[in-house]
Coordinates of all heavy atoms in Angstrom, one line a residue:
M1 N 43.3 -44.3 13.7 CA 43.5 -44.1 12.3 C 43.2 -42.7 12.0 O 42.1 -42.2 12.3 CB 42.5 -45.1 11.6 CG 42.6 -45.0 10.1 SD 44.1 -45.8 9.4 CE 43.3 -47.0 8.4
S2 N 44.1 -42.0 11.4 CA 43.9 -40.6 11.0 C 43.1 -40.5 9.7 O 43.2 -41.4 8.9 CB 45.2 -39.9 10.8 OG 46.0 -39.9 12.0
R3 N 42.3 -39.5 9.6 CA 41.5 -39.3 8.4 C 41.9 -37.9 7.8 O 42.3 -37.0 8.6 CB 40.1 -39.3 8.7 CG 39.5 -40.7 9.0 CD 38.2 -40.6 9.7 NE 38.3 -40.0 11.0 CZ 37.3 -39.3 11.5 NH1 36.2 -39.0 10.9 NH2 37.5 -38.8 12.7
P4 N 41.7 -37.7 6.6 CA 41.9 -36.4 6.0 C 40.9 -35.4 6.6 O 39.8 -35.9 7.1 CB 41.7 -36.6 4.5 CG 40.9 -37.8 4.4 CD 41.2 -38.7 5.6
P5 N 41.2 -34.1 6.6 CA 40.2 -33.2 7.2 C 38.9 -33.3 6.5 O 38.8 -33.5 5.3 CB 40.8 -31.8 7.0 CG 41.9 -32.0 6.0 CD 42.4 -33.5 6.1
L6 N 37.8 -33.1 7.2 CA 36.5 -33.1 6.6 C 36.3 -32.0 5.6 O 35.7 -32.1 4.6 CB 35.4 -33.0 7.7 CG 35.4 -34.2 8.7 CD1 34.4 -33.9 9.8 CD2 35.1 -35.5 8.0
D7 N 36.9 -30.9 6.0 CA 36.8 -29.7 5.2 C 38.2 -29.4 4.5 O 39.1 -29.2 5.2 CB 36.4 -28.5 6.1 CG 36.4 -27.2 5.3 OD1 36.7 -27.2 4.1 OD2 36.0 -26.2 5.9
P8 N 38.3 -29.6 3.2 CA 39.6 -29.5 2.6 C 40.2 -28.1 2.7 O 41.4 -27.9 2.5 CB 39.4 -29.8 1.1 CG 37.9 -29.7 0.9 CD 37.2 -30.0 2.3
E9 N 39.3 -27.1 3.1 CA 39.8 -25.7 3.3 C 40.4 -25.5 4.7 O 40.9 -24.5 5.0 CB 38.7 -24.7 3.1 CG 38.0 -24.8 1.7 CD 38.9 -24.2 0.6 OE1 39.2 -23.0 0.7 OE2 39.2 -25.0 -0.3
C10 N 40.2 -26.5 5.5 CA 40.6 -26.4 6.9 C 42.1 -26.1 7.0 O 42.9 -26.8 6.4 CB 40.2 -27.7 7.7 SG 40.5 -27.5 9.4
L11 N 42.5 -25.1 7.8 CA 43.9 -24.6 7.8 C 44.6 -25.1 9.1 O 45.7 -24.7 9.3 CB 43.9 -23.1 7.7 CG 43.4 -22.5 6.4 CD1 43.5 -21.0 6.5 CD2 44.2 -23.0 5.2
G12 N 43.9 -25.9 9.9 CA 44.6 -26.4 11.1 C 45.7 -27.4 10.8 O 45.9 -27.8 9.6
L13 N 46.4 -27.8 11.8 CA 47.5 -28.7 11.7 C 46.9 -30.1 11.8 O 46.2 -30.5 12.7 CB 48.4 -28.5 12.9 CG 49.6 -29.5 13.1 CD1 50.5 -29.4 11.8 CD2 50.4 -29.2 14.3
H14 N 47.1 -30.9 10.7 CA 46.5 -32.3 10.6 C 47.6 -33.3 10.6 O 48.6 -33.2 9.9 CB 45.7 -32.4 9.4 CG 44.6 -31.4 9.3 ND1 44.6 -30.3 8.5 CD2 43.4 -31.3 10.0 CE1 43.5 -29.6 8.7 NE2 42.8 -30.2 9.6
V15 N 47.4 -34.3 11.4 CA 48.4 -35.4 11.5 C 48.2 -36.4 10.4 O 47.1 -36.9 10.2 CB 48.3 -36.1 12.9 CG1 49.3 -37.3 13.0 CG2 48.5 -35.1 14.0
P16 N 49.2 -36.7 9.6 CA 49.0 -37.7 8.5 C 48.9 -39.1 9.1 O 49.2 -39.3 10.3 CB 50.3 -37.6 7.7 CG 51.3 -37.1 8.7 CD 50.6 -36.2 9.7
T17 N 48.4 -40.0 8.3 CA 48.4 -41.4 8.8 C 49.8 -41.8 9.1 O 50.7 -41.6 8.3 CB 47.8 -42.3 7.6 OG1 46.5 -41.9 7.4 CG2 47.8 -43.8 8.1
P18 N 50.1 -42.4 10.3 CA 51.4 -42.7 10.7 C 52.1 -43.7 9.7 O 51.4 -44.5 9.1 CB 51.3 -43.4 12.1 CG 50.0 -42.9 12.6 CD 49.1 -42.7 11.4
R19 N 53.4 -43.5 9.5 CA 54.1 -44.4 8.6 C 54.2 -45.7 9.2 O 54.1 -45.9 10.4 CB 55.6 -43.8 8.4 CG 55.6 -42.5 7.7 CD 56.9 -41.8 7.6 NE 58.1 -42.5 8.1 CZ 59.3 -42.0 8.0 NH1 59.5 -40.9 7.3 NH2 60.3 -42.7 8.4
A20 N 54.4 -46.8 8.3 CA 54.5 -48.1 8.8 C 55.6 -48.3 9.9 O 55.5 -49.1 10.8 CB 54.8 -49.1 7.6
D21 N 56.7 -47.5 9.7 CA 57.8 -47.6 10.7 C 57.8 -46.6 11.8 O 58.8 -46.3 12.4 CB 59.1 -47.5 9.9 CG 59.3 -46.2 9.2 OD1 58.3 -45.4 9.2 OD2 60.4 -45.9 8.7
A22 N 56.6 -46.0 12.0 CA 56.5 -45.0 13.0 C 56.8 -45.5 14.4 O 56.5 -46.7 14.7 CB 55.1 -44.4 13.0
I23 N 57.5 -44.7 15.2 CA 57.8 -45.1 16.6 C 56.6 -45.1 17.4 O 55.7 -44.3 17.2 CB 58.8 -44.0 17.2 CG1 60.1 -43.9 16.4 CG2 59.0 -44.2 18.6 CD1 60.8 -42.5 16.6
R24 N 56.5 -46.1 18.3 CA 55.3 -46.2 19.2 C 55.6 -45.4 20.4 O 56.6 -45.7 21.2 CB 55.2 -47.7 19.6 CG 54.7 -48.6 18.5 CD 53.2 -48.8 18.6 NE 52.7 -49.5 17.4 CZ 51.4 -49.6 17.1 NH1 50.5 -49.1 17.8 NH2 51.1 -50.3 16.0
V25 N 54.8 -44.4 20.7 CA 55.0 -43.6 21.8 C 54.5 -44.4 23.0 O 53.5 -45.1 23.0 CB 54.2 -42.2 21.7 CG1 54.3 -41.4 23.0 CG2 54.6 -41.5 20.5
D26 N 55.2 -44.2 24.2 CA 54.8 -44.9 25.4 C 53.7 -44.1 26.1 O 54.0 -43.4 27.0 CB 56.1 -45.1 26.3 CG 55.8 -46.0 27.5 OD1 54.8 -46.7 27.4 OD2 56.6 -46.0 28.4
W27 N 52.5 -44.2 25.6 CA 51.4 -43.4 26.1 C 51.0 -44.0 27.5 O 50.9 -45.2 27.7 CB 50.2 -43.5 25.2 CG 50.4 -42.9 23.8 CD1 50.5 -43.6 22.7 CD2 50.6 -41.5 23.5 NE1 50.7 -42.7 21.6 CE2 50.8 -41.4 22.1 CE3 50.7 -40.3 24.3 CZ2 51.0 -40.2 21.4 CZ3 50.9 -39.1 23.6 CH2 51.1 -39.1 22.2
A28 N 50.7 -43.1 28.4 CA 50.2 -43.5 29.7 C 48.9 -42.7 30.0 O 48.7 -41.6 29.5 CB 51.2 -43.1 30.8
K29 N 48.0 -43.3 30.8 CA 46.8 -42.6 31.1 C 47.0 -41.3 31.7 O 47.9 -41.1 32.6 CB 45.9 -43.5 32.0 CG 44.5 -43.0 32.1 CD 43.6 -44.0 32.8 CE 42.2 -43.4 32.9 NZ 41.3 -44.1 33.8
S30 N 46.3 -40.3 31.3 CA 46.5 -38.9 31.8 C 45.9 -38.8 33.2 O 44.8 -39.1 33.4 CB 45.8 -37.9 30.8 OG 46.0 -36.6 31.2
L31 N 46.7 -38.3 34.1 CA 46.3 -38.1 35.5 C 46.5 -36.6 35.8 O 47.5 -36.0 35.4 CB 47.1 -38.9 36.4 CG 47.0 -40.5 36.2 CD1 48.0 -41.2 37.1 CD2 45.6 -40.9 36.6
P32 N 45.7 -36.0 36.6 CA 45.9 -34.6 37.0 C 47.0 -34.5 38.0 O 47.0 -34.9 39.2 CB 44.5 -34.3 37.7 CG 43.9 -35.6 38.1 CD 44.5 -36.6 37.2
R33 N 48.2 -34.1 37.5 CA 49.4 -34.0 38.3 C 49.9 -32.6 38.6 O 50.8 -32.4 39.4 CB 50.5 -34.8 37.5 CG 50.4 -36.2 37.7 CD 51.7 -36.9 37.2 NE 51.7 -37.0 35.7 CZ 52.6 -37.6 35.0 NH1 53.7 -38.1 35.6 NH2 52.5 -37.7 33.7
A34 N 49.3 -31.6 37.9 CA 49.7 -30.3 38.2 C 48.5 -29.4 38.1 O 47.5 -29.7 37.5 CB 50.7 -29.8 37.1
D35 N 48.5 -28.3 38.9 CA 47.4 -27.4 39.0 C 47.1 -26.6 37.7 O 46.0 -26.4 37.3 CB 47.6 -26.3 40.1 CG 47.6 -27.0 41.5 OD1 47.1 -28.1 41.6 OD2 48.2 -26.4 42.4
R36 N 48.2 -26.2 37.1 CA 48.1 -25.4 35.9 C 48.7 -26.1 34.7 O 49.9 -26.6 34.8 CB 48.7 -24.1 36.1 CG 47.9 -23.2 37.0 CD 48.3 -21.8 36.9 NE 49.8 -21.6 37.1 CZ 50.5 -20.6 36.6 NH1 49.9 -19.7 35.9 NH2 51.8 -20.6 36.8
L37 N 48.0 -26.1 33.6 CA 48.5 -26.8 32.4 C 48.3 -25.8 31.3 O 47.3 -25.1 31.1 CB 47.7 -28.0 32.2 CG 48.0 -28.9 31.0 CD1 47.8 -30.4 31.3 CD2 47.2 -28.5 29.8
R38 N 49.4 -25.6 30.4 CA 49.2 -24.8 29.3 C 49.4 -25.6 28.0 O 50.3 -26.4 27.9 CB 50.3 -23.7 29.3 CG 50.1 -22.6 30.3 CD 51.0 -21.5 30.1 NE 50.8 -20.5 31.2 CZ 51.6 -19.6 31.5 NH1 52.8 -19.5 30.9 NH2 51.3 -18.7 32.4
V39 N 48.5 -25.3 27.1 CA 48.5 -26.0 25.8 C 49.3 -25.0 24.9 O 48.9 -23.9 24.6 CB 47.1 -26.3 25.3 CG1 47.2 -26.9 23.9 CG2 46.4 -27.3 26.2
R40 N 50.5 -25.5 24.4 CA 51.3 -24.7 23.6 C 51.1 -24.9 22.1 O 51.6 -24.1 21.2 CB 52.8 -24.9 23.9 CG 53.2 -24.8 25.3 CD 53.1 -23.3 25.7 NE 53.5 -23.1 27.1 CZ 54.4 -22.2 27.5 NH1 55.0 -21.4 26.6 NH2 54.7 -22.1 28.8
G41 N 50.5 -26.0 21.8 CA 50.3 -26.3 20.4 C 49.2 -27.4 20.3 O 49.0 -28.2 21.3
H42 N 48.5 -27.5 19.2 CA 47.5 -28.5 19.1 C 47.2 -28.8 17.6 O 47.4 -27.9 16.8 CB 46.2 -28.1 19.8 CG 45.5 -26.9 19.3 ND1 44.7 -26.9 18.2 CD2 45.7 -25.6 19.6 CE1 44.3 -25.7 17.9 NE2 44.9 -24.8 18.7
T43 N 46.8 -30.0 17.4 CA 46.4 -30.4 16.0 C 44.9 -30.0 15.9 O 44.2 -29.8 16.9 CB 46.6 -31.9 15.8 OG1 45.8 -32.7 16.6 CG2 48.1 -32.3 15.9
C44 N 44.5 -30.0 14.6 CA 43.1 -29.6 14.4 C 42.1 -30.6 15.0 O 42.2 -31.8 14.9 CB 42.9 -29.5 12.9 SG 41.3 -28.7 12.4
A45 N 41.1 -30.0 15.6 CA 40.0 -30.8 16.3 C 39.0 -31.4 15.3 O 38.1 -32.1 15.7 CB 39.3 -30.0 17.3
C46 N 39.2 -31.2 14.0 CA 38.3 -31.8 13.0 C 38.6 -33.3 12.8 O 37.9 -34.0 12.2 CB 38.3 -31.0 11.7 SG 39.7 -31.3 10.6
T47 N 39.8 -33.7 13.2 CA 40.2 -35.1 13.0 C 40.7 -35.7 14.4 O 41.2 -35.0 15.2 CB 41.3 -35.3 12.0 OG1 42.4 -34.5 12.3 CG2 40.8 -35.0 10.6
Y48 N 40.4 -37.0 14.6 CA 40.9 -37.7 15.8 C 41.7 -38.9 15.4 O 41.5 -39.5 14.3 CB 39.7 -38.2 16.6 CG 39.0 -37.0 17.3 CD1 37.9 -36.4 16.7 CD2 39.5 -36.6 18.5 CE1 37.3 -35.3 17.4 CE2 38.9 -35.5 19.1 CZ 37.8 -34.9 18.6 OH 37.3 -33.8 19.2
P49 N 42.7 -39.3 16.2 CA 43.0 -38.6 17.5 C 43.6 -37.2 17.2 O 44.3 -37.0 16.2 CB 44.0 -39.6 18.1 CG 44.7 -40.3 17.0 CD 43.6 -40.4 16.0
A50 N 43.3 -36.3 18.2 CA 43.9 -35.0 18.2 C 45.1 -35.0 19.2 O 45.1 -35.9 20.1 CB 42.9 -34.0 18.5
F51 N 46.0 -34.1 19.0 CA 47.2 -34.1 19.9 C 47.3 -32.7 20.4 O 47.1 -31.7 19.7 CB 48.4 -34.5 19.2 CG 48.4 -36.0 18.7 CD1 47.9 -36.3 17.5 CD2 48.8 -37.0 19.6 CE1 47.8 -37.6 17.1 CE2 48.8 -38.3 19.1 CZ 48.3 -38.6 17.9
E52 N 47.8 -32.6 21.7 CA 48.1 -31.3 22.3 C 49.6 -31.3 22.8 O 49.9 -32.3 23.5 CB 47.2 -31.0 23.4 CG 45.8 -30.7 23.0 CD 44.8 -30.5 24.2 OE1 45.2 -30.9 25.3 OE2 43.8 -29.9 23.9
L53 N 50.3 -30.2 22.5 CA 51.6 -30.0 23.1 C 51.4 -29.2 24.4 O 50.9 -28.1 24.3 CB 52.5 -29.3 22.1 CG 53.9 -28.9 22.5 CD1 54.7 -30.1 22.9 CD2 54.6 -28.1 21.5
C54 N 51.7 -29.8 25.5 CA 51.4 -29.2 26.8 C 52.6 -29.0 27.7 O 53.6 -29.7 27.5 CB 50.5 -30.2 27.6 SG 48.9 -30.6 26.8
T55 N 52.5 -28.0 28.6 CA 53.5 -27.8 29.6 C 52.8 -27.6 30.9 O 51.8 -27.0 31.0 CB 54.5 -26.7 29.2 OG1 55.3 -26.4 30.3 CG2 53.7 -25.4 28.8
A56 N 53.5 -28.2 31.9 CA 52.9 -28.0 33.3 C 54.1 -28.3 34.3 O 54.9 -29.2 34.0 CB 51.8 -29.0 33.6
A57 N 54.1 -27.5 35.3 CA 55.2 -27.7 36.3 C 56.6 -27.7 35.8 O 57.5 -28.5 36.2 CB 54.9 -29.0 37.1
G58 N 56.8 -26.9 34.7 CA 58.1 -26.8 34.1 C 58.5 -28.0 33.2 O 59.6 -28.0 32.7
L59 N 57.6 -28.9 33.0 CA 57.9 -30.0 32.1 C 57.0 -30.0 30.9 O 55.9 -29.4 31.0 CB 57.8 -31.3 32.9 CG 58.8 -31.6 34.0 CD1 58.4 -32.7 34.9 CD2 60.2 -31.7 33.4
W60 N 57.3 -30.7 29.9 CA 56.6 -30.8 28.7 C 56.1 -32.2 28.4 O 56.8 -33.2 28.7 CB 57.4 -30.3 27.5 CG 57.7 -28.8 27.6 CD1 58.5 -28.2 28.5 CD2 57.3 -27.8 26.7 NE1 58.6 -26.8 28.3 CE2 57.9 -26.6 27.1 CE3 56.6 -27.8 25.5 CZ2 57.6 -25.4 26.4 CZ3 56.3 -26.6 24.8 CH2 56.9 -25.4 25.3
F61 N 55.0 -32.3 27.7 CA 54.5 -33.6 27.3 C 53.5 -33.4 26.2 O 53.0 -32.3 25.9 CB 53.9 -34.4 28.5 CG 52.8 -33.7 29.2 CD1 51.5 -34.0 28.9 CD2 53.1 -32.7 30.1 CE1 50.4 -33.3 29.5 CE2 52.0 -32.0 30.8 CZ 50.7 -32.3 30.5
V62 N 53.1 -34.5 25.6 CA 52.1 -34.5 24.5 C 50.9 -35.3 25.0 O 51.0 -36.4 25.6 CB 52.6 -35.1 23.2 CG1 51.5 -35.2 22.1 CG2 53.8 -34.3 22.7
R63 N 49.7 -34.7 24.8 CA 48.5 -35.5 25.1 C 47.8 -35.9 23.9 O 47.8 -35.2 22.8 CB 47.5 -34.5 25.9 CG 47.8 -34.3 27.3 CD 46.6 -34.0 28.1 NE 45.9 -32.7 27.7 CZ 45.0 -32.1 28.4 NH1 44.6 -32.6 29.5 NH2 44.4 -31.0 27.9
R64 N 47.3 -37.1 23.9 CA 46.6 -37.7 22.8 C 45.1 -37.8 23.2 O 44.7 -38.5 24.2 CB 47.1 -39.1 22.5 CG 46.5 -39.8 21.3 CD 47.1 -41.2 21.2 NE 46.8 -41.9 19.9 CZ 45.6 -42.5 19.7 NH1 44.7 -42.6 20.7 NH2 45.4 -43.1 18.6
L65 N 44.2 -37.2 22.4 CA 42.8 -37.1 22.7 C 42.1 -38.0 21.6 O 42.0 -37.7 20.5 CB 42.3 -35.7 22.6 CG 43.1 -34.7 23.6 CD1 43.9 -33.7 22.8 CD2 42.1 -34.1 24.5
P66 N 41.5 -39.1 22.1 CA 40.8 -39.9 21.2 C 39.4 -39.3 20.8 O 38.9 -38.4 21.5 CB 40.6 -41.2 22.0 CG 40.5 -40.7 23.4 CD 41.4 -39.5 23.5
A67 N 38.8 -39.9 19.8 CA 37.4 -39.5 19.5 C 36.5 -39.8 20.7 O 36.9 -40.7 21.5 CB 37.0 -40.2 18.2
K68 N 35.5 -39.1 20.8 CA 34.6 -39.3 22.0 C 34.1 -40.8 22.0 O 33.7 -41.4 21.0 CB 33.3 -38.5 21.8 CG 33.5 -37.1 22.4 CD 32.2 -36.4 22.7 CE 32.4 -35.1 23.5 NZ 33.2 -34.1 22.8
G69 N 34.3 -41.4 23.3 CA 33.8 -42.8 23.4 C 34.8 -43.8 23.0 O 34.6 -45.0 23.1
L70 N 36.0 -43.4 22.5 CA 37.0 -44.3 22.0 C 38.2 -44.3 22.9 O 39.3 -44.0 22.4 CB 37.3 -44.0 20.6 CG 36.3 -44.4 19.5 CD1 36.8 -44.0 18.1 CD2 35.9 -45.8 19.6
G71 N 38.0 -44.6 24.2 CA 39.2 -44.7 25.0 C 39.5 -43.4 25.8 O 38.8 -42.4 25.8
D72 N 40.6 -43.5 26.5 CA 41.0 -42.5 27.5 C 42.0 -41.5 26.8 O 42.6 -41.7 25.8 CB 41.8 -43.1 28.6 CG 41.0 -44.1 29.4 OD1 39.8 -43.7 29.7 OD2 41.5 -45.2 29.8
I73 N 42.0 -40.3 27.4 CA 43.1 -39.3 27.1 C 44.3 -39.9 27.6 O 44.4 -40.3 28.8 CB 42.7 -37.9 27.7 CG1 41.5 -37.4 27.1 CG2 43.9 -37.0 27.5 CD1 41.0 -36.1 27.7
V74 N 45.4 -39.9 26.8 CA 46.7 -40.4 27.3 C 47.7 -39.4 27.0 O 47.5 -38.4 26.3 CB 47.0 -41.8 26.6 CG1 46.1 -42.9 27.0 CG2 47.0 -41.6 25.1
E75 N 48.9 -39.5 27.7 CA 49.9 -38.6 27.5 C 51.3 -39.2 27.5 O 51.5 -40.3 28.0 CB 49.9 -37.5 28.6 CG 50.1 -38.1 30.0 CD 49.7 -37.1 31.1 OE1 48.8 -36.2 30.8 OE2 50.2 -37.2 32.2
S76 N 52.3 -38.6 26.8 CA 53.6 -39.1 26.8 C 54.3 -38.8 28.1 O 53.7 -38.0 29.0 CB 54.4 -38.4 25.6 OG 54.5 -37.0 25.9
A77 N 55.5 -39.3 28.3 CA 56.3 -39.0 29.5 C 56.5 -37.5 29.6 O 56.7 -36.8 28.6 CB 57.6 -39.7 29.5
W78 N 56.5 -37.0 30.9 CA 56.8 -35.6 31.1 C 58.3 -35.4 31.1 O 59.0 -36.1 31.8 CB 56.2 -35.2 32.5 CG 54.7 -35.1 32.5 CD1 53.9 -35.9 31.9 CD2 54.0 -34.2 33.3 NE1 52.6 -35.5 32.2 CE2 52.6 -34.5 33.1 CE3 54.3 -33.1 34.2 CZ2 51.6 -33.8 33.7 CZ3 53.2 -32.5 34.8 CH2 51.9 -32.8 34.5
T79 N 58.8 -34.5 30.2 CA 60.2 -34.4 30.1 C 60.6 -33.0 29.7 O 59.8 -32.0 29.9 CB 60.7 -35.5 29.0 OG1 62.1 -35.4 28.9 CG2 60.0 -35.3 27.7
S80 N 61.8 -32.8 29.1 CA 62.2 -31.5 28.7 C 61.5 -30.9 27.5 O 60.9 -31.6 26.7 CB 63.7 -31.5 28.4 OG 63.9 -32.3 27.2
A81 N 61.6 -29.6 27.4 CA 61.0 -28.9 26.2 C 61.6 -29.5 24.9 O 60.9 -29.8 24.0 CB 61.2 -27.4 26.3
S82 N 62.9 -29.6 24.9 CA 63.5 -30.1 23.6 C 63.1 -31.5 23.3 O 62.8 -31.8 22.1 CB 65.1 -29.9 23.7 OG 65.6 -30.7 24.7
A83 N 63.1 -32.4 24.2 CA 62.7 -33.8 23.9 C 61.3 -33.8 23.5 O 60.9 -34.6 22.6 CB 62.9 -34.6 25.2
T84 N 60.4 -33.0 24.1 CA 59.0 -33.1 23.8 C 58.7 -32.4 22.4 O 57.9 -32.8 21.7 CB 58.2 -32.4 24.9 OG1 58.5 -33.1 26.1 CG2 56.7 -32.5 24.6
E85 N 59.5 -31.3 22.1 CA 59.3 -30.7 20.8 C 59.7 -31.7 19.7 O 59.1 -31.7 18.7 CB 60.1 -29.4 20.8 CG 59.3 -28.3 21.5 CD 60.1 -27.0 21.6 OE1 61.3 -27.0 21.3 OE2 59.5 -26.0 22.1
E86 N 60.7 -32.5 20.0 CA 61.1 -33.5 19.0 C 60.1 -34.5 18.8 O 59.7 -34.9 17.7 CB 62.5 -34.1 19.4 CG 62.9 -35.3 18.6 CD 63.3 -34.9 17.1 OE1 63.5 -33.7 16.9 OE2 63.2 -35.8 16.3
L87 N 59.5 -35.0 19.9 CA 58.4 -35.9 19.8 C 57.2 -35.4 19.1 O 56.6 -36.0 18.2 CB 58.0 -36.4 21.3 CG 56.8 -37.3 21.3 CD1 57.1 -38.6 20.7 CD2 56.4 -37.5 22.8
W88 N 56.9 -34.1 19.4 CA 55.7 -33.4 18.7 C 56.0 -33.4 17.2 O 55.1 -33.7 16.5 CB 55.6 -32.0 19.3 CG 54.6 -31.2 18.7 CD1 54.8 -30.1 17.8 CD2 53.2 -31.3 18.9 NE1 53.5 -29.6 17.5 CE2 52.5 -30.3 18.1 CE3 52.4 -32.1 19.7 CZ2 51.2 -30.1 18.1 CZ3 51.0 -32.0 19.6 CH2 50.4 -31.0 18.8
L89 N 57.2 -33.1 16.8 CA 57.5 -33.0 15.4 C 57.3 -34.4 14.8 O 56.8 -34.5 13.6 CB 58.9 -32.5 15.2 CG 59.3 -32.0 13.9 CD1 58.5 -30.7 13.5 CD2 60.8 -31.6 13.9
Q90 N 57.7 -35.4 15.5 CA 57.6 -36.8 14.9 C 56.1 -37.2 14.8 O 55.7 -37.8 13.8 CB 58.3 -37.8 15.9 CG 59.8 -37.6 15.8 CD 60.5 -38.6 16.7 OE1 60.1 -38.9 17.8 NE2 61.7 -39.1 16.3
I91 N 55.3 -36.8 15.8 CA 53.9 -37.1 15.7 C 53.2 -36.4 14.6 O 52.5 -37.0 13.8 CB 53.2 -36.8 17.1 CG1 53.7 -37.8 18.2 CG2 51.7 -36.8 16.9 CD1 53.3 -37.4 19.6
V92 N 53.5 -35.1 14.5 CA 52.7 -34.3 13.4 C 53.2 -34.6 12.0 O 52.6 -34.2 11.1 CB 52.7 -32.8 13.7 CG1 52.1 -32.5 15.1 CG2 54.1 -32.2 13.7
T93 N 54.3 -35.3 11.9 CA 54.8 -35.7 10.6 C 54.6 -37.2 10.3 O 55.1 -37.8 9.3 CB 56.3 -35.4 10.4 OG1 57.1 -36.0 11.4 CG2 56.5 -33.9 10.4
G94 N 53.9 -37.9 11.2 CA 53.6 -39.3 11.0 C 54.7 -40.3 11.3 O 54.7 -41.4 11.0
R95 N 55.8 -39.8 12.0 CA 56.9 -40.6 12.3 C 56.8 -41.2 13.7 O 57.7 -42.0 14.1 CB 58.2 -39.8 12.2 CG 58.6 -39.5 10.7 CD 59.8 -38.7 10.6 NE 59.7 -37.4 11.0 CZ 60.6 -36.7 11.8 NH1 61.7 -37.3 12.2 NH2 60.4 -35.4 12.1
A96 N 55.8 -40.8 14.5 CA 55.6 -41.4 15.8 C 54.1 -41.5 16.0 O 53.3 -40.7 15.4 CB 56.2 -40.6 16.9
R97 N 53.6 -42.5 16.7 CA 52.2 -42.7 16.9 C 51.8 -43.1 18.3 O 52.7 -43.5 19.0 CB 51.6 -43.7 15.9 CG 52.2 -45.1 16.1 CD 51.9 -46.1 15.0 NE 50.4 -46.2 14.8 CZ 49.9 -46.9 13.8 NH1 50.7 -47.5 13.0 NH2 48.6 -47.0 13.7
Ligands
ZN101 ZN1 41.0 -29.5 10.4

């Protein structure tokens, strides 16, 4: 469940509460599959779950970071930049969860 930012002045990227018809992302448990991982975008860490747009080994994916103690870090399928950017846009606009 997304919450509004604790600080209304917070300028980070905040994910709205997903819409009722939001697509369910096929999240899988995050496993260390590549030596180097770059985070290209992230939502504000003031709210959970937080999301990171990541690239590794030439592929892109989104990681979902739960609040501490509330489950595992999970990630979307590793795929192309364009497919992952579309998924990222859907997540940050509440159209995918
Ligand atoms: Zn924030």
Side-chain angles (χ1 to χ4, degrees):
M1 181 76 120
S2 298
R3 287 166 293 147
L6 299 175
D7 177 355
E9 303 286 300
C10 187
L11 296 177
L13 176 61
H14 302 101
V15 177
T17 300
R19 294 174 4 175
D21 62 350
I23 296 161
R24 292 262 174 192
V25 179
D26 190 14
W27 299 111
K29 192 171 177 191
S30 183
L31 298 170
R33 280 191 278 182
D35 292 340
R36 288 194 309 154
L37 180 146
R38 284 191 183 162
V39 176
R40 304 291 183 130
H42 61 87
T43 62
C44 189
C46 77
T47 53
Y48 286 95
F51 296 89
E52 290 178 339
L53 176 62
C54 301
T55 172
L59 293 169
W60 292 64
F61 56 98
V62 176
R63 282 204 301 191
R64 181 183 189 279
L65 302 114
K68 274 200 171 61
L70 287 181
D72 297 316
I73 295 173
V74 291
E75 62 194 29
S76 65
W78 290 33
T79 181
S80 67
S82 59
T84 305
E85 281 171 351
E86 173 63 22
L87 175 64
W88 178 252
L89 199 63
Q90 289 178 322
I91 290 168
V92 299
T93 55
R95 290 181 287 136
R97 65 192 302 176

